[in-house]
Amino acid sequence: MPMRVAIVSPEQEVWSGDADMVVARTVEGDIGVLPGHVPMLAVLVRDQTVRVKVGSQEISAGVDGGFLSVTKEGVSILAESATIA
Amino acid sequence: MAGQLREYRRRIKTVNSTKKITKAMELIAASRIAKARARVTASRPYAEEITRVITAVASQTTITHPLTTERPTPTRAAVVIVTSDRGLAGGYSSNALKRAGELVELLREEGKEPLLYAVGRKAVGYYRFRGRTLAGEYTGFTEQPTYANAKEVADALIQAFTTPTEEGGVDEIHLVFTEYISAMTQTPAAHRLLPMVLREHDEPPPGGPLPNYEFEPSAEAVLDALLPRYVESRLYAALLEAAASESAARQRAMKSATDNAEELAKTYTRAANRARQDAITQEISEIVGGANALASSN
């Protein structure tokens, strides 16, 4: 049961699609988000790599200054700047 | 006579070369509208998500945060005015400045001292000429603003907003820019950026009721981090929309300039033709007159 994941920067949506897991580092430590996670809003540490697992593949995105927002519908990563590696 | 004809020809040439320039500017402006509109669309997911998140945080926590709380006695307000760098855009800049003037007047009546942040050379020039001091001047990007430009302005605003009023800070931030309604209509509008105006929802917002978030590390920390992002994203959206409006205004101004040039060229061509015909008629009558004089003298 995949979930909807979107990595958005102010200028555009950098990546979006269905994924199985999102791994990011918040100010309180690393977090892995699986489908059905409780709604959450976390502040991400600056300059880090967010990993998105889609099946056996993994997408890593360089993300600087942002938030991780988890809702019933999916996960959004709001970043000041984001690039797909 | 021949001198008059030459004068007309010269004018036709000038009008035609002006027409070429205005036509080119019209086409450039038209393509810029489309580009700016596309960037507005691209920036929407981020802006919507930020607003949604803030609404969610603010509606479920009872904390008082500067982002959403009205200060008891506001005495100073920042006003950001977005105009263009270049002219030749009809009433674009002057309409925005007029709207800003109304807002400044209103703020004064409410006992708030306005601090002006001018975006675009037109606004800077306007206030400089009137001897007003500006709290901030930002120029050189109004036609194609980037997020970095928005951030530069936002940083100064947040700095002022988080400084206590006694030390020269501001209690409110207002934003005046030209909204793009359609290719034909753009209206200058004033909005209050901070403190945020939260709409009270009687019915659940689109996309179902807002979820009960868990905050990491805390609701306050999340709001603190959200404040600058919110201001930046709102400013960025405003700059992009203003850029689209500017291009639309310029396109319209240049279109009517091109039409006028065409009209003028036509009038001058007619006048030149008449002048040429008159010259020929006069020459003929002079020759005939001369021949008659010769014939009668013989």
Side-chain angles (χ1 to χ4, degrees), chain A residues 8-12 26-28 38-43 67 69-71 76 78-80, chain B residues 42-43 45-46 49 52-53 57 147 151 211-217 222 225-226 229 236:
Chain A
V8 232
S9 80
E11 299 192 313
Q12 71 209 347
T26 75
V27 288
E28 300 215 311
V38 71
M40 186 191 71
L41 200 58
V43 181
F67 304 88
S69 151
V70 184
T71 60
S76 348
L78 300 166
E80 226 176 290
Chain B
S43 74
Y46 184 87
E49 191 63 28
R52 213 173 74 94
V53 161
V57 183
Y147 192 69
K151 201 170 161 56
N212 251 319
Y213 282 108
E214 264 180 20
F215 299 105
E216 214 172 290
V222 169
L226 274 171
R229 295 298 92 76
Y236 180 58

Side-chain angles (χ1 to χ4, degrees), chain B residues 111-141:
Chain B
K112 299 167 199 161
E113 178 199 343
L115 277 188
L116 300 169
Y117 290 77
V119 177
R121 260 192 284 279
K122 289 286 156 193
V124 173
Y126 178 87
Y127 288 111
R128 274 243 188 93
F129 181 72
R130 280 157 187 77
R132 296 285 310 261
T133 44
L134 294 169
E137 297 175 9
Y138 308 90
T139 56
F141 56 78

Side-chain angles (χ1 to χ4, degrees), chain B residues 73-84:
Chain B
T73 49
T75 55
R76 207 171 288 133
V79 181
V80 186
I81 304 140
V82 185
T83 63
S84 66

